Amino acid sequence: MAKETFGSSHVPLSPAVRAGDFVYVSGQVPVGADGVMISGGIEAQTKQVLDNVKAALALAGATMEQVVKTTVWLEDARDFGAFNKVYATYFPSQPPARTTVESRLMADIKIEVEAVAYSPRG
């Protein structure tokens, strides 16, 4: 099976990789289009992260509706309720399977999200 990578990063990873009908999105963090970490609480950071997931999927021709699995890392489990409210707006019906854990993250951020989409080639 051929693998295609999409996008570029200042670190050694691809924002999105297509392998057959699946698109794998690397963990997205709350970085704005200008490359700067956004300020704000869990709601603002969750919105930015999910916008970044959406953009990475688009690079590979996939959409949020095609996401079948996400993994979420929260810096503080007490943010779960506020995170979940924002997350639900991105997956209003038939949400993907999800794993959510509390974890120390690699940067001073509150959230990271990776995704897998099933996006059959036309």
Side-chain angles (χ1 to χ4, degrees), residues 36-87:
V36 176
M37 292 286 181
I38 67 156
S39 59
I42 188 64
E43 295 91 349
Q45 288 196 16
T46 300
K47 183 180 182 323
Q48 183 65 57
V49 164
L50 292 172
D51 285 345
N52 293 349
V53 168
K54 186 176 182 177
L57 286 165
L59 292 172
T63 66
M64 295 292 271
E65 292 77 21
Q66 295 172 310
V67 173
V68 295
K69 174 70 169 84
T70 61
T71 303
V72 178
W73 293 270
L74 296 175
E75 187 268 334
D76 187 337
R78 293 173 292 190
D79 286 336
F80 182 75
F83 147 75
N84 216 34
K85 285 180 186 174
V86 175
Y87 183 92

